[in-house]
Amino acid sequence: MAAAVLFPASLHAPPSTFPLRQRCNLDDDNRAPQLTSCPSRDVPALRSFLAHNLPVSYTESFLLQLVCARDAYIIVARDPPAAAGSGSTMVGVIAGKLARSANNRARAQGQVMLLAVAEQHRGRGLAQRLLAALESALRGAATLSDPVVLTSLVLQVAADNARALAFYHKNGFTDERCLVRYYRDAGDAMLMRKPLLVPV
Ligand SMILES: CC(C)(COP(=O)(O)OP(=O)(O)OC[C@H]1O[C@@H](n2cnc3c(N)ncnc32)[C@H](O)[C@@H]1OP(=O)(O)O)[C@@H](O)C(=O)NCCC(=O)NCCS
């Protein structure tokens, strides 16, 4: 299989790290975890990280497909930042994809597929940085030959995950509808949406 890249080859090559520190209080702290892409060689580490930090598990083949998928983005936070890449540890991850409208390819919603931060890094704005980085990556999917406007971000989260619900509410999402017995264990999910400003 060809080496997987975070950003679809058809799109502009993104920076390998995300210049987002200046967007939150952690900016001035150059010890803050560094946001990077997730090459396919990191899929086993990604799987292990998710197994420790999310209640649902993912197979390596699913994650590999996600890493390789067109219009999908995985952003990883690594610590310590100075050694991002080899030697650093994964301390957070977000994944999402662009879902283009069936009747207008130039409009899309961004689906947040998973988000997790390691226990000892929570409550410091890391999830907020990851969410901002994903939104920025999804917006950056537009090219001159294949323009796209991101109209909203959507996600499903377990309806009893109070901390995640509070996090998303604080970050501009509102409850859209409860998806009854959505998960395999028959748990309910909340469908949440964050509308985005669309240029006219
Ligand atoms: C939900 C989850 C991703 C939130 O991650 P997080 O990194 O703790 O989130 P943030 O730090 O960005 O925001 C949480 C709190 O930190 C505060 N915060 C934000 N920026 C901050 C900063 N720069 N410095 C200090 N605190 C900050 C937020 O205001 C928020 O405060 P609150 O506790 O009063 O609500 C994390 O709890 C998690 O991984 N949970 C397990 C997996 C999960 O449930 N994922 C969601 C399912 S999709």
Side-chain angles (χ1 to χ4, degrees):
M1 183 179 301
V5 290
L6 169 65
F7 294 86
S10 56
L11 305 178
H12 290 311
S16 60
T17 58
F18 293 79
L20 290 165
R21 290 209 181 152
Q22 50 281 34
R23 292 201 184 171
C24 73
N25 299 345
L26 291 171
D27 277 357
D28 303 331
D29 182 355
N30 55 17
R31 291 163 303 168
Q34 184 168 21
L35 306 193
T36 71
S37 59
C38 183
S40 57
R41 65 172 181 276
D42 284 354
V43 163
L46 176 61
R47 180 169 184 252
S48 160
F49 175 79
L50 293 174
H52 285 96
N53 293 287
L54 276 180
V56 287
S57 59
Y58 295 90
T59 62
E60 260 184 51
S61 64
F62 171 84
L63 293 171
L64 197 54
Q65 272 178 28
L66 190 60
V67 167
C68 300
R70 181 180 161 78
D71 284 346
Y73 300 81
I74 301 183
I75 300 165
V76 167
R78 297 177 198 275
D79 193 56
S86 63
S88 63
T89 306
M90 216 175 263
V91 296
V93 66
I94 193 165
K97 67 179 181 189
L98 202 64
R100 291 179 190 256
S101 158
N103 46 19
N104 182 354
R105 264 189 66 76
R107 296 218 149 207
Q109 60 181 23
Q111 292 179 345
V112 181
M113 299 169 74
L114 56 91
L115 169 64
V117 169
E119 188 100 44
Q120 66 276 26
H121 285 264
R122 290 180 192 164
R124 296 192 224 159
L126 183 52
Q128 206 172 48
R129 285 178 63 208
L130 286 163
L131 191 58
L134 178 67
E135 185 179 323
S136 164
L138 290 166
R139 285 185 193 275
T143 63
L144 276 181
S145 59
D146 197 6
V148 66
V149 172
L150 197 62
T151 55
S152 63
L153 294 179
V154 291
L155 58 87
Q156 293 92 22
V157 57
D160 60 359
N161 189 341
R163 182 161 187 166
L165 285 164
F167 168 80
Y168 290 125
H169 286 145
K170 269 198 175 175
N171 284 278
F173 286 81
T174 52
D175 299 349
E176 191 157 292
R177 123 178 103 92
C178 182
L179 306 172
V180 179
R181 301 172 72 83
Y182 178 81
Y183 295 107
R184 249 184 232 162
D185 67 358
D188 298 345
M190 182 57 71
L191 175 65
M192 305 183 84
R193 183 179 300 274
K194 177 184 172 187
L196 300 174
L197 282 177
V198 175
V200 281

